[in-house]
Amino acid sequence: MAVVIRTTEVSDDPRLRDLLDATELERAGRRPNPLPFVTAHALLRRLVADETGIDPRRLEFERRCATCGTDRHGKPHLSGMRDLHVSVSYGEHMAVAVVTNLGEVGIDVEDLESADFDGFGSVTLDASETPYLADLDGDDLLAARALLWARKEAILKATGHGLVVDPSQVVVSAPDAPAALLEWKAREHPPGPTQVSDVDLGRDDHRAAVAVLTSRPVTVRVQRG
Ligand SMILES: CC(C)(COP(=O)(O)OP(=O)(O)OC[C@H]1O[C@@H](n2cnc3c(N)ncnc32)[C@H](O)[C@@H]1OP(=O)(O)O)[C@@H](O)C(=O)NCCC(=O)NCCS
């Protein structure tokens, strides 16, 4: 299997809720705007269903937190399917999901607006990465920031750390260079071979990236919804 990614705009189609289980519906109901959550989890279920032939409503997901060990939050896994790895990401407008059997996987989508804050560099970047943004302004700057952030978060979702690891400790390649993890400076155990790819969403206002923990060659297939 390749790394199979599906992307979609957030939808208000009420039929999406029919795909979700009771836990997901309860979690959706706790949000002021449940639509991104519902869209993303329905997207992930449909993607895995299409890749495995299993009814999307019969899939069971578990979560496990790498930091505290609880099953109430953390990286998602498919129950009883240890060879398949999944990840999901969503914001106000877009949702993305990925499935692969190549290794632990993480995906992240970022709205350019979410990268529009003072202090982005000090929160997010290692000193070696600061020059990446030196000559950029306007939307080019926001797009470069969003891409760097998406690459880092995809890596941290693949490892399961999430933002428990400071993203400035995860050094990635320049936005105009092929995506790569250049250096792991965090004190947490480094992930080993890590392949990172940018995900072409076909739109200017978001950036996305995927990371897979494997030394095997990775083919990424993007299915845009
Ligand atoms: C993972 C994280 C970076 C995602 O943040 P985000 O940008 O707000 O959200 P995204 O839409 O990109 O991704 C959300 C999905 O990431 C997944 N996720 C959550 N924690 C994860 C982790 N540690 N590793 C990998 N994936 C994780 C979940 O599937 C989640 O979706 P869900 O909550 O609807 O089930 C952030 O939630 C985080 O850092 N969480 C970990 C915090 C933590 O572990 N604290 C210690 C608790 S003891």
Side-chain angles (χ1 to χ4, degrees):
M1 180 190 285
V3 175
V4 188
I5 293 170
R6 203 167 280 182
T7 77
T8 187
E9 289 182 17
V10 169
S11 163
D12 61 0
D13 183 343
R15 290 170 301 181
L16 295 181
R17 298 176 62 87
D18 298 341
L19 297 172
L20 271 46
D21 67 16
T23 306
E24 289 163 335
L25 289 172
E26 189 269 324
R27 294 185 66 214
R30 279 193 259 137
R31 294 170 181 249
N33 175 11
L35 297 181
F37 180 99
V38 170
T39 303
H41 287 272
L43 181 76
L44 178 61
R45 282 180 175 273
R46 280 207 177 119
L47 172 61
V48 175
D50 288 347
E51 291 299 316
T52 59
I54 299 171
D55 184 323
R57 283 167 290 258
R58 297 192 59 187
L59 295 166
E60 286 179 29
F61 292 91
E62 300 161 17
R63 290 176 291 159
R64 181 69 57 192
C65 175
T67 303
C68 72
T70 181
D71 59 4
R72 295 192 52 81
H73 59 254
K75 192 171 166 63
H77 294 280
L78 281 156
S79 310
M81 286 190 256
R82 283 282 157 204
D83 293 343
L84 279 190
H85 306 277
V86 295
S87 184
V88 66
S89 179
Y90 49 95
E92 195 183 339
H93 307 290
M94 290 286 300
V96 296
V98 60
V99 62
T100 185
N101 60 5
L102 289 174
E104 294 287 353
V105 67
I107 196 162
D108 189 57
V109 63
E110 293 296 328
D111 194 324
L112 262 57
E113 282 175 17
S114 66
D116 191 4
F117 64 91
D118 292 338
F120 176 89
S122 58
V123 172
T124 312
L125 302 181
D126 178 64
S128 65
E129 297 170 315
T130 311
Y132 296 167
L133 305 178
D135 298 328
L136 301 175
D137 56 20
D139 277 357
D140 291 342
L141 175 62
L142 295 184
R145 284 178 175 183
L147 186 62
L148 291 172
W149 181 257
R151 289 176 181 174
K152 287 169 186 252
E153 201 172 306
I155 293 165
L156 291 175
K157 288 170 82 172
T159 63
H161 293 104
L163 295 175
V164 166
V165 166
D166 179 347
S168 70
Q169 306 280 289
V170 178
V171 183
V172 296
S173 49
D176 56 355
L181 170 61
L182 298 184
E183 196 178 352
W184 177 271
K185 291 188 164 182
R187 61 185 164 79
E188 285 80 0
H189 193 64
T194 304
Q195 313 230 18
V196 193
S197 301
D198 299 331
V199 178
D200 182 2
L201 298 168
R203 46 190 291 167
D204 292 335
D205 54 356
H206 287 70
R207 291 293 181 273
V210 66
V212 192
L213 307 189
T214 182
S215 53
R216 287 192 275 171
V218 166
T219 306
V220 178
R221 230 169 56 220
V222 181
Q223 303 168 347
R224 288 193 209 143

